[in-house]
Amino acid sequence: MTKEKITRETVQEMDQNDTLRAFRSEFYTKDNHYYMDGNSLGLLSKRAEDAVLTSLKDWKEHAIDGWTEGKEPWFYMSEKIGEKTAPLIGAKPHEVINTGSITANLHQLIATFYQPDKSRTKIVADTLNFPSDIYALQSQIEQKGLKHEEELIRVESQDGYTLDEDDIIAQMDEQTAVLLLPSVLYRSGQLLDMKRLTNEAHQRGILVGFDLAHSIGALPHQLHDWCVDFAVWCTYKYLNSGPGGVGGLYVHEKHLGQKPGLAGWFSSKKEKQFDMEHTLTPAETASAFQMGTPHILSSAPLLGSLDMFHEAGVEAVRSKSLQLTRLLMNLIHQELSDFGFQIVNPLEDERRGGHISLVHPEAASICKALKMEGVTPDYRSPNVIRLAPIALYISFEDVYDVVLILKKLMEEEKHKQFKNERGIIA
Ligand SMILES: Cc1ncc(COP(=O)(O)O)c(C=O)c1O
């Protein structure tokens, strides 16, 4: 932690030196409001809005011909977005496709790559993963006629918040078929060492998949070079595609050309799709892992949003994000040490994702009070407050203000007027 006192002047100077500060005006932000929840739903940008309007105009003007004749032809949009996403995850363009959701894509890729045989039947995951991933794994194991209670191994956490890579490696054995882990843990924001885990798994003949929900758009990846077998992600968090925005998947090129576990007509090679044959000719790219008609209006925002990442550069986004989260932790240390908060995310840069995770017994009521005071935090039951200072639209001074608002609220016990329990969505 820094020893020098952080003042408003300190953070104002940081803002002046911020090479990404111009991007803030591209987003719909509100005056006197601090949005710290971009790790759940990113803000709307003007470019994303324009991209949706373009697709609506294409529909208005071209009707069915919008599939091929529109300004952004819908028939090729998923591939185009895949290509634009590839640099964010260190993939080749044909290894990525915009499609589905995390849960649907996980079903697809587990159905494809989990082929239990006599010796390898187990999937290794973890006890801290997002429930939907676990449900998908459980049901895929059942689909193969096996019992998930026997075949799904969930690595335990020693502290309840983070995972030790050594514990994960210890669970990899000659019975393991697939390893599926989050890149960044959704609660604590721990960034796992994807390269090391992939290496260790491959040495034991295990296929590796990652859920990039909390890392895509927040930090760089090198999925192709690390030889990661597959990955899934959503786009409504750091990539700002909007509520229910279409997700994406990656499959390493060494696996391309094979039949998808769950096929549909959009799995086809594009030139063959409209031959309407009953024998599928799968695309030789990640396109093969699509199923049905793409959700154009929920994909289109990415065309605008991803351009900003290309202009900013994901390394610069990561560098500012690390500065923001470090500042936030230092300020919490400086201003909030009397109020019983515990930082549970890893402190080291190389083990930290894009959000800070604060534990407090009154987390639910504190989050409600923060909202009343103009700060949108993110609450995870039973006691976690997640704060995500997003590099493209949060300033260093915003972070300073948020901590001072939180301090005042705690001093005046404003949270006591709220029940310390979660709402229907939290
Ligand atoms: C880590 C993680 N995995 C999976 C999901 C579920 O994603 P989806 O609803 O897009 O399938 C989420 C949703 O927030 C998530 O954070």
Side-chain angles (χ1 to χ4, degrees):
M1 296 291 160
T2 171
K3 287 197 187 80
E4 269 177 44
K5 184 163 165 65
I6 303 162
T7 62
R8 190 168 291 281
E9 289 67 43
T10 323
V11 291
Q12 284 173 342
E13 198 182 319
M14 292 174 89
D15 279 328
Q16 272 157 24
N17 295 328
D18 173 15
T19 54
L20 299 183
R21 68 178 184 279
F23 285 99
R24 181 190 180 87
S25 63
E26 302 231 21
F27 286 87
Y28 287 98
T29 53
K30 285 191 200 151
D31 290 342
N32 303 318
H33 183 267
Y34 304 89
Y35 191 74
M36 303 297 280
D37 203 6
N39 60 331
S40 273
L41 178 67
L43 291 183
L44 175 64
S45 66
K46 290 163 195 167
R47 289 201 227 189
E49 182 181 46
D50 286 347
V52 182
L53 292 175
T54 300
S55 281
L56 280 173
K57 195 157 172 250
D58 282 343
W59 180 20
K60 200 192 300 181
E61 288 179 3
H62 301 283
I64 188 72
D65 292 333
W67 284 101
T68 49
E69 306 299 319
K71 192 163 175 230
E72 288 292 354
W74 307 325
F75 194 52
Y76 304 102
M77 192 185 278
S78 310
E79 285 77 12
K80 183 169 179 180
I81 294 171
E83 283 172 27
K84 280 176 170 243
T85 309
L88 298 182
I89 54 170
K92 296 191 174 178
H94 60 284
E95 293 175 321
V96 185
I97 190 77
N98 172 241
T99 190
S101 62
I102 293 185
T103 313
N105 292 341
L106 203 49
H107 273 289
Q108 168 67 290
L109 297 180
I110 294 295
T112 306
F113 293 112
Y114 175 56
Q115 298 297 342
D117 57 19
K118 281 201 188 75
S119 57
R120 290 186 187 268
T121 54
K122 303 218 181 294
I123 299 182
V124 171
D126 67 279
T127 49
L128 301 182
N129 207 335
F130 199 84
S132 205
D133 294 31
I134 299 299
Y135 303 158
L137 294 177
Q138 289 171 339
S139 54
Q140 283 298 323
I141 291 170
E142 301 281 329
Q143 289 290 323
K144 296 279 184 343
L146 300 171
K147 289 196 167 64
H148 71 77
E149 294 86 349
E150 289 165 14
E151 309 300 346
L152 181 61
I153 309 297
R154 293 182 308 136
V155 178
E156 296 283 344
S157 162
Q158 294 182 21
D159 61 3
Y161 301 108
T162 58
L163 296 169
D164 187 329
E165 276 94 355
D166 289 337
D167 292 343
I168 299 171
I169 293 164
Q171 292 290 346
M172 301 176 185
D173 63 18
E174 62 288 346
Q175 291 186 316
T176 312
V178 174
L179 172 71
L180 189 275
L181 293 167
S183 49
V184 168
L185 273 62
Y186 80 98
R187 253 173 224 274
S188 70
Q190 178 193 6
L191 169 61
L192 290 175
D193 187 341
M194 289 180 264
K195 184 179 178 187
R196 177 179 173 217
L197 290 165
T198 305
N199 266 334
E200 294 286 346
H202 283 172
Q203 280 170 28
R204 294 163 177 79
I206 300 166
L207 291 173
V208 182
F210 284 104
D211 173 347
L212 309 182
H214 293 270
S215 64
I216 193 162
L219 51 99
H221 312 66
Q222 297 303 332
L223 296 192
H224 178 86
D225 288 351
W226 297 337
C227 277
V228 171
D229 296 285
F230 63 90
V232 294
W233 55 88
C234 56
T235 57
Y236 41 75
K237 300 179 192 293
Y238 291 90
L239 296 183
N240 312 310
S241 70
V246 175
L249 63 84
Y250 148 94
V251 174
H252 195 281
E253 72 181 355
K254 69 187 170 195
H255 299 300
L256 295 177
Q258 69 169 288
K259 231 176 88 186
L262 306 174
W265 72 319
F266 268 80
S267 317
S268 301
K269 220 174 172 165
K270 284 222 151 349
E271 315 80 75
K272 292 286 292 173
Q273 184 170 342
F274 279 83
D275 288 351
M276 307 304 251
E277 290 169 355
H278 278 195
T279 304
L280 170 69
T281 307
E284 280 151 10
T285 65
S287 275
F289 299 95
Q290 297 179 91
M291 289 184 269
T293 306
H295 303 176
I296 297 301
L297 297 180
S298 308
S299 289
L302 284 166
L303 289 168
S305 176
L306 288 170
D307 281 346
M308 280 186 278
F309 282 88
H310 289 282
E311 285 166 30
V314 69
E315 271 80 15
V317 168
R318 172 61 167 167
S319 163
K320 180 175 172 190
S321 163
L322 283 172
Q323 273 185 289
L324 284 162
T325 47
R326 202 178 305 122
L327 172 69
L328 181 50
M329 291 191 296
N330 285 337
L331 281 167
I332 290 166
H333 200 66
Q334 176 179 299
E335 303 292 337
L336 297 174
S337 52
D338 293 340
F339 300 104
F341 289 100
Q342 186 196 352
I343 296 178
V344 297
N345 54 273
L347 305 182
E348 310 91 307
D349 283 4
E350 65 282 2
R351 295 183 66 229
R352 195 165 86 238
H355 70 265
I356 293 305
S357 192
L358 276 182
V359 163
H360 193 284
E362 292 169 292
S365 57
I366 293 170
C367 283
K368 289 175 194 165
L370 275 170
K371 274 201 155 174
M372 185 180 72
E373 298 297 314
V375 178
T376 303
D378 185 272
Y379 169 70
R380 279 290 169 261
S381 184
N383 57 2
V384 176
I385 303 170
R386 300 187 304 183
L387 296 171
I390 303 293
L392 290 182
Y393 52 79
I394 297 291
S395 71
F396 295 97
E397 195 165 2
D398 287 340
V399 169
Y400 186 78
D401 287 341
V402 165
V403 174
L404 290 196
I405 290 170
L406 181 53
K407 183 179 183 182
K408 187 157 181 280
L409 175 165
M410 297 305 292
E411 280 170 347
E412 295 173 8
E413 300 193 330
K414 287 188 181 167
H415 59 294
K416 298 281 185 200
Q417 62 190 289
F418 297 100
K419 275 200 177 145
N420 190 33
E421 56 190 41
R422 71 165 171 84
I424 187 80
I425 291 189

